[in-house]
């Protein structure tokens, strides 16, 4: 398993306030690319595990994912999210922000 940290503009203070996000990927996976792009567009720091040809890493992923074998597998604070389609649906439904603890605070007064 290759560990690939995603840390552009790494800021230790902001990382501590974000949940732990992990994504298991393979090299030639279009859905993996799309999932990483979605997370990056939201400013999410994540750890990528490239499991190409690593049977033990894949076994660990399947166990952690409750038996799911498809790639990518995404975890937020050890909660198994699923793959890209599940991540995308959470984003469309406004649930991804909640999972990432990034819901906008209520401020000001209504107009």
């Amino acid at each position: 398993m290759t560990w690939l940290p995603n840390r552009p503009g790494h800021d230790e203070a902001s990382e501590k306030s974000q949940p732990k996000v992990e994504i298991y990927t393979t090299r030639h996976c279009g859905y993996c690319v799309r999932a990483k792009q979605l997370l990056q567009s939201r400013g999410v720091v994540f750890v990528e595990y490239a499991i190409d040809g690593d049977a033990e890493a894949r076994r660990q992923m399947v166990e952690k994912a409750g038996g799911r074998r498809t790639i990518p597998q995404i975890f937020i604070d050890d909660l198994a999210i699923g793959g890209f389609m599940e991540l995308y649906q959470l984003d469309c439904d406004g649930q991804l922000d909640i999972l990432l603890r990034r819901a906008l605070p209520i401020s000001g007064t209504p107009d």
Side-chain angles (χ1 to χ4, degrees), residues 3-110:
W3 175 67
L4 304 168
N6 169 44
R7 297 172 179 252
H10 175 66
D11 177 1
E12 210 169 294
S14 67
E15 182 181 325
K16 288 179 183 176
S17 66
Q18 289 189 12
K20 178 177 74 171
V21 178
E22 300 169 290
I23 180 169
Y24 287 77
T25 65
T26 58
R27 200 171 320 160
H28 302 289
C29 167
Y31 283 118
C32 298
V33 171
R34 293 178 74 187
K36 291 186 295 185
Q37 288 173 336
L38 191 149
L39 291 169
Q40 289 168 339
S41 75
R42 309 293 266 152
V44 175
V45 175
F46 59 87
V47 176
E48 178 181 2
Y49 300 103
I51 62 170
D52 300 90
D54 188 337
E56 178 59 22
R58 183 175 283 274
R59 185 197 64 74
Q60 290 172 1
M61 178 204 74
V62 170
E63 183 178 317
K64 187 174 180 176
R68 292 189 208 122
R69 299 180 177 276
T70 57
I71 297 292
Q73 283 300 315
I74 303 155
F75 301 88
I76 299 176
D77 282 340
D78 294 320
L79 173 67
I81 299 302
F84 169 72
M85 295 305 293
E86 292 83 4
L87 183 70
Y88 179 72
Q89 190 62 53
L90 286 170
D91 190 43
C92 289
D93 294 343
Q95 297 300 306
L96 183 57
D97 280 338
I98 293 167
L99 284 173
L100 295 172
R101 298 183 197 113
R102 302 176 83 202
L104 297 173
I106 299 171
S107 63
T109 57

